[in-house]
Amino acid sequence: MEKRPLVAIAGTGSGLGAALAHRFARENYDIALLARRKDVTQQLADELNAAGHQARAWSCDLTDPTAVGATFSAIRDAQAAPDILIYNAGAFRLGGLLDIDPAVFHESWKINCYGAFLACREVLPAMVEAGSGTVLLSGATAAWRGSAGFASLAVGKFGLRALAQSMAREFGPQGIHVAHVVIDGQIDTPRLREYAPERSAETLLNPYAIAESYWQLHRQHPSAWTLELDLRPSVESF
């Protein structure tokens, strides 16, 4: 029986993570869903499996090297070596430099950047051996500029962007497509709707539209690969 390709989505929630899982499942990809809380990913896995897809939920602290190593080892044993890694984890706490707790700052950096480093190290060896693979990293406006009160986000997202550039130059010649996606605006999620119900849909990024762009990045021909893609609503200023 021919092996079905597998996409690992690290940092899966009810917004973009869920949209990515549905988009790749439509193309007959098996799905590995990673999040610190398994209740969120298990509900999505159950939904995908009920629709005839193949998905599995994994609980993983993406900032813990031991946990990341053990989880990806289990994924390789139970499912397969991922053909695609999407790192979609993120964390942010608004606060000025003199106000934000150093531990919070450190944790934000670990989730926004360090976790991607750990996850990429787990999938790249098999991709190198196969001579193919895709790594997609979810960035933010803060990857371009650090604003007042946003240091805990900007530092990690700057680092994630640098990681993407370094990986692309190292592993692109080996057949692995690395791309960084700048999500320039807020995503329309159930959580956002709870605390900002007045926001109109045209001012927000549709998660399924974003997921379509990720799919198109994965499908690009090697002669015309994108390293960085920026996405925003048509009404967003930039």
Side-chain angles (χ1 to χ4, degrees):
M1 185 176 179
E2 185 178 353
K3 171 188 172 294
R4 287 159 54 98
L6 174 70
V7 55
I9 304 173
T12 305
S14 59
L16 178 55
L20 288 165
H22 280 284
R23 182 64 186 89
F24 280 83
R26 278 171 44 199
E27 305 294 338
N28 294 318
Y29 277 68
D30 289 352
I31 314 292
L33 305 166
L34 288 77
R36 186 170 294 186
R37 289 177 48 200
K38 192 176 179 180
D39 56 335
V40 175
T41 53
Q42 189 60 60
Q43 182 178 350
L44 178 57
D46 291 343
E47 179 183 329
L48 291 167
N49 291 329
H53 304 299
Q54 298 293 324
R56 186 156 179 171
W58 300 92
S59 175
C60 181
D61 179 353
L62 292 165
T63 68
D64 180 346
T66 301
V68 172
T71 300
F72 276 94
S73 178
I75 290 171
R76 289 189 291 269
D77 289 341
Q79 294 183 276
D83 302 276
I84 307 168
L85 170 68
I86 301 176
Y87 191 84
N88 190 53
F92 165 59
R93 183 77 63 84
L94 183 67
L97 215 63
L98 301 180
D99 303 317
I100 193 162
D101 186 282
V104 171
F105 181 90
H106 187 222
E107 183 69 9
S108 295
W109 168 77
K110 288 200 296 182
I111 294 172
N112 289 317
C113 182
Y114 181 56
F117 166 78
L118 296 176
C120 289
R121 283 171 55 86
E122 290 296 324
V123 302
L124 284 168
M127 291 181 179
V128 170
E129 184 177 353
S132 64
T134 301
V135 176
L136 304 176
L137 307 178
S138 295
T141 311
W144 285 338
R145 59 181 182 270
S147 300
F150 285 79
S152 72
L153 178 65
V155 169
K157 291 301 186 181
F158 263 68
L160 185 70
R161 188 183 188 209
L163 180 66
Q165 292 177 1
S166 295
M167 279 199 301
R169 292 181 171 98
E170 181 176 358
F171 294 100
Q174 300 180 64
I176 299 162
H177 185 192
V178 180
H180 174 246
V181 183
V182 177
I183 300 174
D184 187 18
Q186 290 186 293
I187 301 174
D188 193 351
T189 65
R191 183 179 178 184
L192 178 64
R193 289 297 183 180
E194 284 181 13
Y195 71 81
E198 75 283 355
R199 289 287 299 271
S200 63
E202 68 173 4
T203 67
L204 302 170
L205 289 109
N206 184 299
Y208 289 92
I210 300 173
E212 181 62 33
S213 292
Y214 278 62
W215 170 251
Q216 295 300 330
L217 280 172
H218 168 60
R219 294 293 297 162
Q220 284 181 337
H221 191 273
S223 68
W225 272 350
T226 294
L227 168 58
E228 186 164 82
L229 176 70
D230 54 306
L231 302 172
R232 67 185 59 85
S234 60
V235 299
E236 183 80 12
S237 60
F238 62 99

